[in-house]
Amino acid sequence: MNISTVNSNDIKVRPIDNMLKYNGRYGEYGGAYIPDVLAVPLQKLSEAFDYFSRDPEFRAEFSNILRDYAGRPSPLYFAQKLSKHIGSTLYLKREDLNHTGSHKINNTLGQALIAKRMGAKEIVAETGAGQHGVATATAAALMGIPCKIFMGAVDARRQALNVKRIQLLGAEVITTTRGTATLKDAVDEALNYYISHPDVFYLLGSQVGPDPYPRMVGFFQSVIGQEARAQILMKEGRLPDAVIAAVGGGSNAIGLFSGFLEDHEVKIYGAEGGGDALPGKTAATLTFGKPMIFQGTYSYCLTNDEGQPVESHSVAAGLDYPGVSPQHAFLKDSKRAQYFAVTDKEAIEAFHLLSQLEGIIPAIESSHAVALAIRLLRNQNLLAIVNLSGRGDKDVDRDF
Ligand SMILES: *Cc1c(COP(=O)(O)O)cnc(C)c1O
């Protein structure tokens, strides 16, 4: 996905932990494992984030944009028919109703606002299915900063509508034909561009990559959990028994979970893209992977028998990533959260079920969280919040 695969042999990769003033670790996970040339730009970014995330003026501007531009707060919706069907009380956190159709806008608006405050002349990002590209191009347009989106040529052909959207928003789409011309190759291309132009702002789309990205993305997405906690207290007068979200890189999930981490009576469940739920045919990194340094951070990663990172497999493009957030790695090991591989089949069933029962077509990514809720809460008579991370418009012409 992101700050990543330094495949050029002459770039020396080293940890910069001793340079970091701030805590980029979640237990033993996290940190920043990066080529020398990125040490200074990431240090500057870290300092800027640390400053602005505490600055009342910045926080007020971010809240105003989230409200008036992105449409927050997103509703917490009592899914009555789904609840009856399952035998537990389910609320859906409606991130699908945000501008551009998912939680991704919370993060791109936050980072683009930092880019503007830092005086960035250009924003760059990579995208696979195009969702992060659209959200980034949107935020860049709003801030008036030129934007380049790197995309594999194969993905660009498959996602022609999102390419068009990005271009309409005034950003430049740069396609690459290297490798398999998909996400990983777009990452390589974007990273090479960043390495040769370290003054640009690299806008990362999930809670992955080197410090300060996981902290920063977690901070901007935490609005989900803050709202959900206040909303459930208003509606039910108590905290939920469980909160559930889909985990790709981990950003929508940490956004919801962070509102409840200190409430130890609330169980926390993450739904990974299980694919066929078999090693080699899955994107369930926390379930099937092991800890290693990958794409700038120390976290779980899917590997082959030789311990090399492998391609992941999931029906959901947004979950199809062999790495995962270092914070989720920590939450798993510390047992504060539990992660489950949800199969393609289960997710597709939940996709249809929610569409028909509630009149809400969920993103296939979010359908994994709905499917996990069905699996864990059936006839339990429990109260739970499921993060509906995005809408399913993009998935309607898939054959499932
Ligand atoms: C990108 C995406 C995801 C996965 O990304 P996270 O960083 O794990 O949240 C999940 N749902 C939707 C709708 C997405 O677009």
Side-chain angles (χ1 to χ4, degrees), residues 345-381:
K345 187 165 171 287
E346 284 176 286
I348 291 167
E349 278 168 22
F351 174 81
H352 289 291
L353 185 75
L354 192 68
S355 301
Q356 289 164 27
L357 276 183
E358 297 287 349
I360 297 170
I361 302 172
I364 188 63
E365 288 81 6
S366 322
S367 304
H368 286 69
V370 176
L372 185 62
I374 295 171
R375 193 202 291 178
L376 297 178
L377 301 177
R378 195 180 277 288
N379 300 326
Q380 296 294 307
N381 198 22

PDB file of all heavy atoms in Angstrom, residues 345-381:
ATOM      1  N   LYS A 345     -16.608 -15.665   0.983  1.00  0.00           N
ATOM      2  CA  LYS A 345     -17.987 -16.154   0.898  1.00  0.00           C
ATOM      3  C   LYS A 345     -18.875 -15.548   1.988  1.00  0.00           C
ATOM      4  O   LYS A 345     -19.986 -15.087   1.719  1.00  0.00           O
ATOM      5  CB  LYS A 345     -17.963 -17.692   1.010  1.00  0.00           C
ATOM      6  CG  LYS A 345     -19.274 -18.384   0.791  1.00  0.00           C
ATOM      7  CD  LYS A 345     -19.045 -19.888   0.568  1.00  0.00           C
ATOM      8  CE  LYS A 345     -20.368 -20.642   0.569  1.00  0.00           C
ATOM      9  NZ  LYS A 345     -20.969 -20.754   1.928  1.00  0.00           N
ATOM     10  N   GLU A 346     -18.381 -15.543   3.211  1.00  0.00           N
ATOM     11  CA  GLU A 346     -19.144 -14.944   4.315  1.00  0.00           C
ATOM     12  C   GLU A 346     -19.421 -13.459   4.061  1.00  0.00           C
ATOM     13  O   GLU A 346     -20.516 -12.960   4.346  1.00  0.00           O
ATOM     14  CB  GLU A 346     -18.353 -15.033   5.631  1.00  0.00           C
ATOM     15  CG  GLU A 346     -18.319 -16.372   6.304  1.00  0.00           C
ATOM     16  CD  GLU A 346     -17.416 -16.286   7.533  1.00  0.00           C
ATOM     17  OE1 GLU A 346     -16.181 -16.244   7.387  1.00  0.00           O
ATOM     18  OE2 GLU A 346     -17.951 -16.238   8.651  1.00  0.00           O
ATOM     19  N   ALA A 347     -18.398 -12.766   3.540  1.00  0.00           N
ATOM     20  CA  ALA A 347     -18.541 -11.320   3.304  1.00  0.00           C
ATOM     21  C   ALA A 347     -19.569 -11.057   2.212  1.00  0.00           C
ATOM     22  O   ALA A 347     -20.381 -10.136   2.319  1.00  0.00           O
ATOM     23  CB  ALA A 347     -17.188 -10.717   2.933  1.00  0.00           C
ATOM     24  N   ILE A 348     -19.541 -11.862   1.174  1.00  0.00           N
ATOM     25  CA  ILE A 348     -20.489 -11.680   0.065  1.00  0.00           C
ATOM     26  C   ILE A 348     -21.919 -11.931   0.545  1.00  0.00           C
ATOM     27  O   ILE A 348     -22.856 -11.203   0.195  1.00  0.00           O
ATOM     28  CB  ILE A 348     -20.110 -12.598  -1.125  1.00  0.00           C
ATOM     29  CG1 ILE A 348     -18.797 -12.096  -1.750  1.00  0.00           C
ATOM     30  CG2 ILE A 348     -21.225 -12.658  -2.162  1.00  0.00           C
ATOM     31  CD1 ILE A 348     -18.139 -13.072  -2.711  1.00  0.00           C
ATOM     32  N   GLU A 349     -22.090 -12.943   1.408  1.00  0.00           N
ATOM     33  CA  GLU A 349     -23.427 -13.201   1.971  1.00  0.00           C
ATOM     34  C   GLU A 349     -23.907 -12.005   2.785  1.00  0.00           C
ATOM     35  O   GLU A 349     -25.068 -11.585   2.680  1.00  0.00           O
ATOM     36  CB  GLU A 349     -23.386 -14.448   2.878  1.00  0.00           C
ATOM     37  CG  GLU A 349     -23.497 -15.751   2.087  1.00  0.00           C
ATOM     38  CD  GLU A 349     -23.175 -16.978   2.946  1.00  0.00           C
ATOM     39  OE1 GLU A 349     -23.275 -16.887   4.197  1.00  0.00           O
ATOM     40  OE2 GLU A 349     -22.815 -18.004   2.355  1.00  0.00           O
ATOM     41  N   ALA A 350     -23.014 -11.441   3.584  1.00  0.00           N
ATOM     42  CA  ALA A 350     -23.385 -10.282   4.414  1.00  0.00           C
ATOM     43  C   ALA A 350     -23.693  -9.066   3.537  1.00  0.00           C
ATOM     44  O   ALA A 350     -24.574  -8.261   3.859  1.00  0.00           O
ATOM     45  CB  ALA A 350     -22.258  -9.961   5.399  1.00  0.00           C
ATOM     46  N   PHE A 351     -22.971  -8.927   2.434  1.00  0.00           N
ATOM     47  CA  PHE A 351     -23.195  -7.836   1.464  1.00  0.00           C
ATOM     48  C   PHE A 351     -24.640  -7.859   0.971  1.00  0.00           C
ATOM     49  O   PHE A 351     -25.348  -6.845   0.978  1.00  0.00           O
ATOM     50  CB  PHE A 351     -22.200  -8.031   0.310  1.00  0.00           C
ATOM     51  CG  PHE A 351     -22.340  -7.097  -0.862  1.00  0.00           C
ATOM     52  CD1 PHE A 351     -21.801  -5.814  -0.817  1.00  0.00           C
ATOM     53  CD2 PHE A 351     -22.973  -7.516  -2.028  1.00  0.00           C
ATOM     54  CE1 PHE A 351     -21.895  -4.957  -1.914  1.00  0.00           C
ATOM     55  CE2 PHE A 351     -23.069  -6.662  -3.130  1.00  0.00           C
ATOM     56  CZ  PHE A 351     -22.535  -5.380  -3.063  1.00  0.00           C
ATOM     57  N   HIS A 352     -25.094  -9.047   0.595  1.00  0.00           N
ATOM     58  CA  HIS A 352     -26.475  -9.179   0.105  1.00  0.00           C
ATOM     59  C   HIS A 352     -27.490  -9.013   1.240  1.00  0.00           C
ATOM     60  O   HIS A 352     -28.531  -8.376   1.073  1.00  0.00           O
ATOM     61  CB  HIS A 352     -26.663 -10.535  -0.579  1.00  0.00           C
ATOM     62  CG  HIS A 352     -25.944 -10.621  -1.895  1.00  0.00           C
ATOM     63  ND1 HIS A 352     -26.328  -9.912  -3.000  1.00  0.00           N
ATOM     64  CD2 HIS A 352     -24.835 -11.310  -2.262  1.00  0.00           C
ATOM     65  CE1 HIS A 352     -25.512 -10.161  -4.010  1.00  0.00           C
ATOM     66  NE2 HIS A 352     -24.586 -11.006  -3.586  1.00  0.00           N
ATOM     67  N   LEU A 353     -27.176  -9.602   2.383  1.00  0.00           N
ATOM     68  CA  LEU A 353     -28.099  -9.559   3.517  1.00  0.00           C
ATOM     69  C   LEU A 353     -28.373  -8.130   3.953  1.00  0.00           C
ATOM     70  O   LEU A 353     -29.531  -7.722   4.126  1.00  0.00           O
ATOM     71  CB  LEU A 353     -27.514 -10.365   4.685  1.00  0.00           C
ATOM     72  CG  LEU A 353     -28.444 -10.506   5.889  1.00  0.00           C
ATOM     73  CD1 LEU A 353     -29.553 -11.507   5.587  1.00  0.00           C
ATOM     74  CD2 LEU A 353     -27.670 -10.929   7.128  1.00  0.00           C
ATOM     75  N   LEU A 354     -27.324  -7.331   4.133  1.00  0.00           N
ATOM     76  CA  LEU A 354     -27.517  -5.952   4.594  1.00  0.00           C
ATOM     77  C   LEU A 354     -28.261  -5.132   3.546  1.00  0.00           C
ATOM     78  O   LEU A 354     -29.127  -4.315   3.874  1.00  0.00           O
ATOM     79  CB  LEU A 354     -26.177  -5.295   4.939  1.00  0.00           C
ATOM     80  CG  LEU A 354     -26.313  -3.973   5.697  1.00  0.00           C
ATOM     81  CD1 LEU A 354     -26.871  -4.196   7.097  1.00  0.00           C
ATOM     82  CD2 LEU A 354     -24.996  -3.222   5.779  1.00  0.00           C
ATOM     83  N   SER A 355     -27.940  -5.355   2.279  1.00  0.00           N
ATOM     84  CA  SER A 355     -28.620  -4.629   1.207  1.00  0.00           C
ATOM     85  C   SER A 355     -30.122  -4.884   1.271  1.00  0.00           C
ATOM     86  O   SER A 355     -30.929  -3.950   1.180  1.00  0.00           O
ATOM     87  CB  SER A 355     -28.092  -5.069  -0.161  1.00  0.00           C
ATOM     88  OG  SER A 355     -26.705  -4.832  -0.242  1.00  0.00           O
ATOM     89  N   GLN A 356     -30.492  -6.153   1.438  1.00  0.00           N
ATOM     90  CA  GLN A 356     -31.905  -6.499   1.381  1.00  0.00           C
ATOM     91  C   GLN A 356     -32.652  -6.220   2.675  1.00  0.00           C
ATOM     92  O   GLN A 356     -33.810  -5.814   2.655  1.00  0.00           O
ATOM     93  CB  GLN A 356     -32.060  -7.970   0.970  1.00  0.00           C
ATOM     94  CG  GLN A 356     -31.696  -8.153  -0.503  1.00  0.00           C
ATOM     95  CD  GLN A 356     -31.452  -9.603  -0.886  1.00  0.00           C
ATOM     96  OE1 GLN A 356     -31.992 -10.517  -0.272  1.00  0.00           O
ATOM     97  NE2 GLN A 356     -30.630  -9.808  -1.906  1.00  0.00           N
ATOM     98  N   LEU A 357     -31.988  -6.428   3.820  1.00  0.00           N
ATOM     99  CA  LEU A 357     -32.673  -6.217   5.104  1.00  0.00           C
ATOM    100  C   LEU A 357     -32.803  -4.757   5.477  1.00  0.00           C
ATOM    101  O   LEU A 357     -33.798  -4.339   6.060  1.00  0.00           O
ATOM    102  CB  LEU A 357     -31.921  -6.933   6.235  1.00  0.00           C
ATOM    103  CG  LEU A 357     -32.193  -8.409   6.458  1.00  0.00           C
ATOM    104  CD1 LEU A 357     -31.392  -8.880   7.668  1.00  0.00           C
ATOM    105  CD2 LEU A 357     -33.677  -8.673   6.687  1.00  0.00           C
ATOM    106  N   GLU A 358     -31.768  -3.972   5.162  1.00  0.00           N
ATOM    107  CA  GLU A 358     -31.744  -2.594   5.669  1.00  0.00           C
ATOM    108  C   GLU A 358     -31.766  -1.541   4.566  1.00  0.00           C
ATOM    109  O   GLU A 358     -31.804  -0.346   4.851  1.00  0.00           O
ATOM    110  CB  GLU A 358     -30.499  -2.375   6.555  1.00  0.00           C
ATOM    111  CG  GLU A 358     -30.468  -3.235   7.819  1.00  0.00           C
ATOM    112  CD  GLU A 358     -31.466  -2.765   8.890  1.00  0.00           C
ATOM    113  OE1 GLU A 358     -32.025  -1.663   8.749  1.00  0.00           O
ATOM    114  OE2 GLU A 358     -31.685  -3.522   9.852  1.00  0.00           O
ATOM    115  N   GLY A 359     -31.687  -1.954   3.299  1.00  0.00           N
ATOM    116  CA  GLY A 359     -31.624  -0.959   2.233  1.00  0.00           C
ATOM    117  C   GLY A 359     -30.315  -0.189   2.231  1.00  0.00           C
ATOM    118  O   GLY A 359     -30.259   0.967   1.820  1.00  0.00           O
ATOM    119  N   ILE A 360     -29.270  -0.835   2.712  1.00  0.00           N
ATOM    120  CA  ILE A 360     -27.942  -0.205   2.722  1.00  0.00           C
ATOM    121  C   ILE A 360     -26.989  -1.150   1.991  1.00  0.00           C
ATOM    122  O   ILE A 360     -26.768  -2.279   2.452  1.00  0.00           O
ATOM    123  CB  ILE A 360     -27.423  -0.003   4.167  1.00  0.00           C
ATOM    124  CG1 ILE A 360     -28.337   0.946   4.941  1.00  0.00           C
ATOM    125  CG2 ILE A 360     -25.981   0.516   4.155  1.00  0.00           C
ATOM    126  CD1 ILE A 360     -28.036   0.997   6.442  1.00  0.00           C
ATOM    127  N   ILE A 361     -26.446  -0.685   0.848  1.00  0.00           N
ATOM    128  CA  ILE A 361     -25.467  -1.517   0.135  1.00  0.00           C
ATOM    129  C   ILE A 361     -24.084  -1.174   0.698  1.00  0.00           C
ATOM    130  O   ILE A 361     -23.586  -0.067   0.488  1.00  0.00           O
ATOM    131  CB  ILE A 361     -25.498  -1.246  -1.382  1.00  0.00           C
ATOM    132  CG1 ILE A 361     -26.915  -1.514  -1.938  1.00  0.00           C
ATOM    133  CG2 ILE A 361     -24.464  -2.101  -2.108  1.00  0.00           C
ATOM    134  CD1 ILE A 361     -27.092  -1.099  -3.401  1.00  0.00           C
ATOM    135  N   PRO A 362     -23.480  -2.115   1.438  1.00  0.00           N
ATOM    136  CA  PRO A 362     -22.201  -1.804   2.079  1.00  0.00           C
ATOM    137  C   PRO A 362     -21.033  -2.068   1.125  1.00  0.00           C
ATOM    138  O   PRO A 362     -21.153  -2.864   0.198  1.00  0.00           O
ATOM    139  CB  PRO A 362     -22.150  -2.801   3.238  1.00  0.00           C
ATOM    140  CG  PRO A 362     -22.904  -3.997   2.723  1.00  0.00           C
ATOM    141  CD  PRO A 362     -23.951  -3.484   1.764  1.00  0.00           C
ATOM    142  N   ALA A 363     -19.914  -1.404   1.361  1.00  0.00           N
ATOM    143  CA  ALA A 363     -18.694  -1.779   0.653  1.00  0.00           C
ATOM    144  C   ALA A 363     -18.383  -3.236   0.989  1.00  0.00           C
ATOM    145  O   ALA A 363     -18.696  -3.701   2.088  1.00  0.00           O
ATOM    146  CB  ALA A 363     -17.538  -0.886   1.098  1.00  0.00           C
ATOM    147  N   ILE A 364     -17.778  -3.951   0.056  1.00  0.00           N
ATOM    148  CA  ILE A 364     -17.449  -5.358   0.329  1.00  0.00           C
ATOM    149  C   ILE A 364     -16.449  -5.459   1.497  1.00  0.00           C
ATOM    150  O   ILE A 364     -16.465  -6.445   2.243  1.00  0.00           O
ATOM    151  CB  ILE A 364     -16.959  -6.075  -0.956  1.00  0.00           C
ATOM    152  CG1 ILE A 364     -16.801  -7.578  -0.724  1.00  0.00           C
ATOM    153  CG2 ILE A 364     -15.669  -5.469  -1.476  1.00  0.00           C
ATOM    154  CD1 ILE A 364     -18.072  -8.320  -0.391  1.00  0.00           C
ATOM    155  N   GLU A 365     -15.631  -4.425   1.691  1.00  0.00           N
ATOM    156  CA  GLU A 365     -14.716  -4.401   2.850  1.00  0.00           C
ATOM    157  C   GLU A 365     -15.544  -4.409   4.144  1.00  0.00           C
ATOM    158  O   GLU A 365     -15.353  -5.237   5.028  1.00  0.00           O
ATOM    159  CB  GLU A 365     -13.839  -3.138   2.827  1.00  0.00           C
ATOM    160  CG  GLU A 365     -12.761  -3.116   1.751  1.00  0.00           C
ATOM    161  CD  GLU A 365     -13.290  -2.695   0.382  1.00  0.00           C
ATOM    162  OE1 GLU A 365     -14.479  -2.316   0.283  1.00  0.00           O
ATOM    163  OE2 GLU A 365     -12.508  -2.748  -0.589  1.00  0.00           O
ATOM    164  N   SER A 366     -16.485  -3.461   4.218  1.00  0.00           N
ATOM    165  CA  SER A 366     -17.313  -3.332   5.425  1.00  0.00           C
ATOM    166  C   SER A 366     -18.154  -4.585   5.655  1.00  0.00           C
ATOM    167  O   SER A 366     -18.485  -4.921   6.804  1.00  0.00           O
ATOM    168  CB  SER A 366     -18.249  -2.125   5.284  1.00  0.00           C
ATOM    169  OG  SER A 366     -17.608  -1.046   4.647  1.00  0.00           O
ATOM    170  N   SER A 367     -18.509  -5.271   4.568  1.00  0.00           N
ATOM    171  CA  SER A 367     -19.318  -6.489   4.685  1.00  0.00           C
ATOM    172  C   SER A 367     -18.609  -7.548   5.526  1.00  0.00           C
ATOM    173  O   SER A 367     -19.254  -8.403   6.134  1.00  0.00           O
ATOM    174  CB  SER A 367     -19.618  -7.061   3.298  1.00  0.00           C
ATOM    175  OG  SER A 367     -20.243  -6.082   2.490  1.00  0.00           O
ATOM    176  N   HIS A 368     -17.265  -7.498   5.571  1.00  0.00           N
ATOM    177  CA  HIS A 368     -16.521  -8.430   6.422  1.00  0.00           C
ATOM    178  C   HIS A 368     -16.842  -8.200   7.905  1.00  0.00           C
ATOM    179  O   HIS A 368     -16.930  -9.158   8.678  1.00  0.00           O
ATOM    180  CB  HIS A 368     -15.010  -8.276   6.195  1.00  0.00           C
ATOM    181  CG  HIS A 368     -14.524  -8.854   4.895  1.00  0.00           C
ATOM    182  ND1 HIS A 368     -14.829  -8.307   3.670  1.00  0.00           N
ATOM    183  CD2 HIS A 368     -13.743  -9.935   4.640  1.00  0.00           C
ATOM    184  CE1 HIS A 368     -14.261  -9.029   2.717  1.00  0.00           C
ATOM    185  NE2 HIS A 368     -13.593 -10.026   3.273  1.00  0.00           N
ATOM    186  N   ALA A 369     -17.005  -6.925   8.286  1.00  0.00           N
ATOM    187  CA  ALA A 369     -17.334  -6.615   9.686  1.00  0.00           C
ATOM    188  C   ALA A 369     -18.752  -7.081  10.004  1.00  0.00           C
ATOM    189  O   ALA A 369     -19.013  -7.629  11.078  1.00  0.00           O
ATOM    190  CB  ALA A 369     -17.185  -5.121   9.950  1.00  0.00           C
ATOM    191  N   VAL A 370     -19.661  -6.863   9.056  1.00  0.00           N
ATOM    192  CA  VAL A 370     -21.045  -7.319   9.255  1.00  0.00           C
ATOM    193  C   VAL A 370     -21.066  -8.846   9.403  1.00  0.00           C
ATOM    194  O   VAL A 370     -21.725  -9.393  10.295  1.00  0.00           O
ATOM    195  CB  VAL A 370     -21.942  -6.868   8.078  1.00  0.00           C
ATOM    196  CG1 VAL A 370     -23.358  -7.417   8.231  1.00  0.00           C
ATOM    197  CG2 VAL A 370     -21.962  -5.338   7.968  1.00  0.00           C
ATOM    198  N   ALA A 371     -20.298  -9.528   8.559  1.00  0.00           N
ATOM    199  CA  ALA A 371     -20.250 -10.998   8.616  1.00  0.00           C
ATOM    200  C   ALA A 371     -19.686 -11.481   9.950  1.00  0.00           C
ATOM    201  O   ALA A 371     -20.177 -12.460  10.525  1.00  0.00           O
ATOM    202  CB  ALA A 371     -19.404 -11.544   7.464  1.00  0.00           C
ATOM    203  N   LEU A 372     -18.685 -10.790  10.461  1.00  0.00           N
ATOM    204  CA  LEU A 372     -18.114 -11.206  11.752  1.00  0.00           C
ATOM    205  C   LEU A 372     -19.122 -10.989  12.878  1.00  0.00           C
ATOM    206  O   LEU A 372     -19.235 -11.820  13.787  1.00  0.00           O
ATOM    207  CB  LEU A 372     -16.804 -10.453  12.042  1.00  0.00           C
ATOM    208  CG  LEU A 372     -16.077 -10.918  13.310  1.00  0.00           C
ATOM    209  CD1 LEU A 372     -15.666 -12.399  13.205  1.00  0.00           C
ATOM    210  CD2 LEU A 372     -14.858 -10.051  13.602  1.00  0.00           C
ATOM    211  N   ALA A 373     -19.871  -9.886  12.778  1.00  0.00           N
ATOM    212  CA  ALA A 373     -20.921  -9.638  13.783  1.00  0.00           C
ATOM    213  C   ALA A 373     -21.929 -10.780  13.764  1.00  0.00           C
ATOM    214  O   ALA A 373     -22.335 -11.283  14.823  1.00  0.00           O
ATOM    215  CB  ALA A 373     -21.615  -8.308  13.500  1.00  0.00           C
ATOM    216  N   ILE A 374     -22.297 -11.225  12.572  1.00  0.00           N
ATOM    217  CA  ILE A 374     -23.264 -12.326  12.461  1.00  0.00           C
ATOM    218  C   ILE A 374     -22.676 -13.592  13.094  1.00  0.00           C
ATOM    219  O   ILE A 374     -23.339 -14.298  13.853  1.00  0.00           O
ATOM    220  CB  ILE A 374     -23.634 -12.565  10.979  1.00  0.00           C
ATOM    221  CG1 ILE A 374     -24.374 -11.335  10.431  1.00  0.00           C
ATOM    222  CG2 ILE A 374     -24.477 -13.835  10.822  1.00  0.00           C
ATOM    223  CD1 ILE A 374     -24.602 -11.346   8.933  1.00  0.00           C
ATOM    224  N   ARG A 375     -21.389 -13.847  12.804  1.00  0.00           N
ATOM    225  CA  ARG A 375     -20.754 -15.062  13.327  1.00  0.00           C
ATOM    226  C   ARG A 375     -20.665 -15.044  14.861  1.00  0.00           C
ATOM    227  O   ARG A 375     -20.952 -16.039  15.522  1.00  0.00           O
ATOM    228  CB  ARG A 375     -19.345 -15.198  12.739  1.00  0.00           C
ATOM    229  CG  ARG A 375     -18.729 -16.574  12.979  1.00  0.00           C
ATOM    230  CD  ARG A 375     -17.209 -16.548  12.880  1.00  0.00           C
ATOM    231  NE  ARG A 375     -16.703 -16.321  11.527  1.00  0.00           N
ATOM    232  CZ  ARG A 375     -15.398 -16.222  11.246  1.00  0.00           C
ATOM    233  NH1 ARG A 375     -14.495 -16.351  12.200  1.00  0.00           N
ATOM    234  NH2 ARG A 375     -15.001 -16.004  10.010  1.00  0.00           N
ATOM    235  N   LEU A 376     -20.266 -13.898  15.434  1.00  0.00           N
ATOM    236  CA  LEU A 376     -19.967 -13.864  16.870  1.00  0.00           C
ATOM    237  C   LEU A 376     -21.180 -13.563  17.744  1.00  0.00           C
ATOM    238  O   LEU A 376     -21.196 -13.922  18.917  1.00  0.00           O
ATOM    239  CB  LEU A 376     -18.881 -12.822  17.161  1.00  0.00           C
ATOM    240  CG  LEU A 376     -17.510 -13.061  16.538  1.00  0.00           C
ATOM    241  CD1 LEU A 376     -16.570 -11.906  16.887  1.00  0.00           C
ATOM    242  CD2 LEU A 376     -16.907 -14.389  16.992  1.00  0.00           C
ATOM    243  N   LEU A 377     -22.180 -12.885  17.171  1.00  0.00           N
ATOM    244  CA  LEU A 377     -23.262 -12.370  18.034  1.00  0.00           C
ATOM    245  C   LEU A 377     -24.588 -13.083  17.867  1.00  0.00           C
ATOM    246  O   LEU A 377     -25.576 -12.713  18.493  1.00  0.00           O
ATOM    247  CB  LEU A 377     -23.461 -10.867  17.771  1.00  0.00           C
ATOM    248  CG  LEU A 377     -22.234  -9.994  18.013  1.00  0.00           C
ATOM    249  CD1 LEU A 377     -22.529  -8.548  17.650  1.00  0.00           C
ATOM    250  CD2 LEU A 377     -21.787 -10.079  19.472  1.00  0.00           C
ATOM    251  N   ARG A 378     -24.608 -14.106  17.033  1.00  0.00           N
ATOM    252  CA  ARG A 378     -25.868 -14.789  16.765  1.00  0.00           C
ATOM    253  C   ARG A 378     -26.509 -15.309  18.053  1.00  0.00           C
ATOM    254  O   ARG A 378     -25.866 -16.001  18.841  1.00  0.00           O
ATOM    255  CB  ARG A 378     -25.625 -15.957  15.788  1.00  0.00           C
ATOM    256  CG  ARG A 378     -26.900 -16.483  15.173  1.00  0.00           C
ATOM    257  CD  ARG A 378     -26.620 -17.637  14.218  1.00  0.00           C
ATOM    258  NE  ARG A 378     -26.226 -17.208  12.877  1.00  0.00           N
ATOM    259  CZ  ARG A 378     -27.042 -16.659  11.978  1.00  0.00           C
ATOM    260  NH1 ARG A 378     -28.309 -16.429  12.265  1.00  0.00           N
ATOM    261  NH2 ARG A 378     -26.593 -16.349  10.789  1.00  0.00           N
ATOM    262  N   ASN A 379     -27.756 -14.900  18.294  1.00  0.00           N
ATOM    263  CA  ASN A 379     -28.522 -15.313  19.480  1.00  0.00           C
ATOM    264  C   ASN A 379     -27.798 -15.067  20.800  1.00  0.00           C
ATOM    265  O   ASN A 379     -27.973 -15.828  21.755  1.00  0.00           O
ATOM    266  CB  ASN A 379     -28.912 -16.806  19.371  1.00  0.00           C
ATOM    267  CG  ASN A 379     -29.765 -17.056  18.137  1.00  0.00           C
ATOM    268  OD1 ASN A 379     -30.561 -16.190  17.749  1.00  0.00           O
ATOM    269  ND2 ASN A 379     -29.592 -18.210  17.519  1.00  0.00           N
ATOM    270  N   GLN A 380     -26.989 -14.012  20.856  1.00  0.00           N
ATOM    271  CA  GLN A 380     -26.261 -13.708  22.088  1.00  0.00           C
ATOM    272  C   GLN A 380     -26.964 -12.626  22.902  1.00  0.00           C
ATOM    273  O   GLN A 380     -26.590 -12.374  24.043  1.00  0.00           O
ATOM    274  CB  GLN A 380     -24.847 -13.219  21.749  1.00  0.00           C
ATOM    275  CG  GLN A 380     -23.968 -14.264  21.069  1.00  0.00           C
ATOM    276  CD  GLN A 380     -23.670 -15.429  21.984  1.00  0.00           C
ATOM    277  OE1 GLN A 380     -23.204 -15.235  23.095  1.00  0.00           O
ATOM    278  NE2 GLN A 380     -23.969 -16.633  21.523  1.00  0.00           N
ATOM    279  N   ASN A 381     -27.930 -11.935  22.272  1.00  0.00           N
ATOM    280  CA  ASN A 381     -28.616 -10.842  22.947  1.00  0.00           C
ATOM    281  C   ASN A 381     -27.641  -9.793  23.504  1.00  0.00           C
ATOM    282  O   ASN A 381     -27.799  -9.316  24.626  1.00  0.00           O
ATOM    283  CB  ASN A 381     -29.515 -11.406  24.059  1.00  0.00           C
ATOM    284  CG  ASN A 381     -30.558 -10.390  24.497  1.00  0.00           C
ATOM    285  OD1 ASN A 381     -30.877  -9.465  23.744  1.00  0.00           O
ATOM    286  ND2 ASN A 381     -31.067 -10.539  25.705  1.00  0.00           N
TER     287      ASN A 381
END
